[in-house]
């Protein structure tokens, strides 16, 4: 943990969304340092440990502004109601901009003069827009305020953004992840310590998009288990960061390997068609340039007789052509052969479920107590289920007999990769390859079972 130094003693810190979670943790950290705290939130009653309410904000001198208030809806374009879009735009982007505008005249007079937005680095990777475009736009609006205001008020006010490397356990995370998700999160204390580290820095430290773990490493923090809810447990990476190895691997696989294999298949099909087309085009050329026009019917009749011969011996013509034109095919052919095994063949899903069935036990069922339904697209797809409520567990094709607690939708190749350990469920979900309906906490439980089967798939 980062110790308090008293650097903020006597300063006034205005924090939006400070009634709970990250905002409250930052407020308590600053209050412990001797700062005056003004919170702006939906909560209107005085907090026993904090000095202000939203009604006292106008009476205070402001040295630091923390734009923490945020609204989230991880829904795609068609599933996001207009009211929800307006809420996210108003709270995230508009709220940050107008709160900053109102505080800037006071911040200019302060010796400290900091604005801190709880917003991510501006990452334009399309995967962060694909499944929750409205939320990303609204959140990036906060980051764009950092980008613009840092330059506009350079030398007068420090304007920075702070974002966690991993998921932080808050009420919002409980809502999104369900019961049990906290084990994959860090405490809000890590954000409070990172924010405090920023507040201690001079006004010249501005225009930065800071990751909590990075700045705390600069402070000499080495043991990050103190921030973990369950030390040693795998942590969920946060949104908008591409630096995780799994994310890089998945992006490379999705953008390079699979499309190249598909492209090679299409080229092989197109070439096969092109090889046949010239044979059919040679016949009209004989008709277009005959030297003897007096007996056209006699010329047409042999051609009609020759067509079956051309159809009967396509391989004899195709093989010489492939040998005569080896240049475009010499290199891709071995590449296709080496890549094709990585793509699931027909029956791969059925084989995966067979191995899943062999891995089940009464102990697994007791520990999970959930019914999963998989809606798979592509080869060997369709509807499948995994029943971990019935004795011994059940798997099969079609819908489960009991209502599913979790419905997962994805492509068959991604499904096989996920169960074989080549694709992390978290990254599949965050990148939009996996869509989940139902209890996400139960979906997380399934990850443990996948880990047990990785060596067998």
């Amino acid at each position: 943990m980062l110790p308090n130094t008293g650097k903020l003693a006597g300063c006034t810190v205005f924090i939006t969304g400070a009634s709970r979670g990250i905002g409250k943790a930052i407020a308590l950290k600053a209050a412990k340092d001797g700062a005056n705290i003004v919170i702006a939130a939906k909560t209107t009653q005085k907090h026993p440990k904090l000095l202000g309410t939203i009604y006292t904000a106008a009476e205070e001198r402001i040295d630091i502004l923390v734009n923490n208030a945020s609204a989230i809806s991880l829904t795609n374009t068609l599933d996001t109601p207009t009211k929800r879009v307006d809420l996210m735009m108003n709270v995230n982007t508009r709220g940050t901009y107008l709160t900053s505008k109102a505080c800037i005249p006071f911040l200019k007079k302060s010796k400290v003069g900091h604005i801190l937005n709880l917003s991510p680095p501006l990452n334009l990777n399309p995967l962060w827009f694909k499944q929750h475009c409205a939320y990303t736009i609204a959140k990036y609006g906060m980051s764009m305020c950092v980008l613009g205001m840092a330059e506009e008020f350079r030398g007068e006010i420090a304007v920075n953004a702070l974002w966690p490397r991993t998921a932080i356990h808050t009420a919002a995370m409980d809502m999104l992840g369900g019961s049990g998700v906290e084990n994959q999160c860090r405490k809000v204390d890590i954000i409070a310590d990172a924010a405090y580290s920023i507040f201690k820095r001079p006004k010249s430290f501005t225009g930065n998009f800071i990751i909590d773990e990075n700045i705390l490493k600069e402070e000499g923090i080495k043991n990050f288990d103190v921030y973990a809810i369950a030390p040693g447990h795998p942590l969920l990476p946060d949104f908008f960061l591409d630096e995780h190895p799994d994310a890089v691997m998945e992006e490379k696989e999705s953008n390079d390997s699979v499309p190249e294999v598909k492209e090679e298949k299409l080229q092989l099909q197109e070439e096969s068609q092109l090889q046949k087309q010239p044979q059919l085009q040679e016949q009209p050329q004989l008709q277009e340039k005959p030297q003897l026009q007096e007996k056209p019917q006699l010329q047409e009749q042999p051609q009609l007789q020759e067509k079956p011969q051309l159809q009967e011996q396509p391989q004899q013509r195709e093989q010489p052509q492939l040998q005569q034109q080896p240049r475009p095919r010499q290199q891709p052919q071995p590449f296709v052969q080496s890549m094709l095994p990585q793509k699931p063949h027909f029956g791969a899903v059925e084989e995966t479920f067979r191995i899943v069935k062999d891995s089940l036990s009464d102990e697994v069922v007791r520990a999970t107590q959930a019914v999963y339904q998989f809606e798979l697209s592509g080869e060997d797809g369709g509807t499948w289920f995994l029943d971990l409520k019935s004795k011994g567990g059940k798997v099969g094709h079609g819908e489960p007999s009991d209502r599913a607690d979790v419905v997962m939708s994805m492509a068959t190749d991604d499904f096989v990769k996920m169960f074989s350990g080549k694709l992390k469920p978290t990254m599949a979900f965050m990148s939009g390859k996996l869509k989940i309906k139902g209890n996400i906490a139960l979906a997380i439980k399934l990850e443990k079972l996948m880990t047990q089967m990785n060596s067998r798939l």
Side-chain angles (χ1 to χ4, degrees), residues 38-286:
V38 180
I39 61 174
K42 292 183 290 185
T43 302
T44 58
Q45 296 182 355
K46 187 175 181 180
H47 192 280
K49 294 185 179 180
L50 303 181
L51 301 180
T53 69
I54 59 175
Y55 302 118
T56 62
E59 302 172 4
E60 299 288 346
R61 176 181 54 85
I62 300 174
D63 297 288
I64 297 172
L65 167 63
V66 180
N67 287 305
N68 170 69
S70 184
I72 182 172
S73 180
L74 298 179
T75 48
N76 58 37
T77 301
L78 297 180
D79 292 335
T80 309
T82 302
K83 289 185 178 180
R84 181 64 62 176
V85 175
D86 292 340
L87 176 65
M88 288 190 287
M89 300 300 174
N90 285 335
V91 173
N92 298 349
T93 302
R94 186 175 184 272
T96 295
Y97 181 88
L98 293 181
T99 303
S100 300
K101 181 181 179 181
C103 292
I104 283 171
F106 300 95
L107 293 168
K108 280 186 172 183
K109 299 175 183 178
S110 170
K111 294 181 179 180
V112 179
H114 272 272
I115 295 177
L116 179 63
N117 295 352
L118 273 296
S119 62
L122 289 168
N123 184 347
L124 297 184
N125 188 331
L127 73 87
W128 301 120
F129 292 81
K130 181 179 178 182
Q131 295 301 322
H132 38 76
C133 186
Y135 171 67
T136 299
I137 292 172
K139 206 64 185 176
Y140 278 12
M142 299 175 68
S143 300
M144 293 170 74
C145 286
V146 171
L147 198 65
M149 293 179 184
E151 283 300 311
E152 184 176 357
F153 303 105
R154 185 174 292 277
E156 298 179 288
I157 305 169
V159 186
N160 296 289
L162 174 61
W163 194 247
R165 181 181 298 279
T166 70
I168 304 298
H169 183 226
T170 61
M173 195 63 201
D174 281 337
M175 178 185 68
L176 294 172
S179 176
V181 72
E182 66 273 8
N183 291 332
Q184 294 183 294
C185 300
R186 281 175 172 164
K187 303 172 185 176
V188 293
D189 297 329
I190 191 171
I191 299 296
D193 282 2
Y196 182 72
S197 174
I198 295 170
F199 298 154
K200 294 191 303 177
R201 306 203 175 201
K203 291 182 180 181
S204 58
F205 184 76
T206 188
N208 301 292
F209 292 89
I210 303 153
I211 303 301
D212 57 355
E213 189 176 300
N214 293 347
I215 197 168
L216 290 178
K217 285 180 179 179
E218 294 179 9
E219 293 281 356
I221 301 295
K222 297 180 180 179
N223 179 19
F224 287 90
D225 282 345
V226 296
Y227 296 112
I229 299 292
H233 198 283
L235 298 170
L236 286 170
D238 211 336
F239 289 86
F240 308 116
L241 302 179
D242 287 354
E243 55 193 271
H244 300 282
D246 293 329
V248 175
M249 179 188 72
E250 280 309 305
E251 184 178 359
K252 182 178 180 182
E253 287 182 356
S254 61
N255 291 338
D256 295 338
S257 301
V258 176
E260 287 181 7
V261 173
K262 291 182 178 178
E263 183 179 354
E264 295 297 335
K265 285 185 174 181
L266 290 175
Q267 289 178 356
L268 289 172
Q269 293 174 356
E270 290 174 358
E271 182 180 349
S272 176
Q273 293 177 355
L274 290 174
Q275 290 170 359
K276 294 178 181 179
Q277 287 176 358
Q279 297 172 5
L280 296 175
Q281 291 175 356
E282 288 176 359
Q283 295 172 2
Q285 289 177 358
L286 293 174

Side-chain angles (χ1 to χ4, degrees), residues 371-373 400 402-407 437-438:
V371 176
Y372 302 92
Q373 181 173 323
D402 295 333
R403 182 178 180 180
D405 299 293
V406 182
V407 178
K437 291 184 179 180

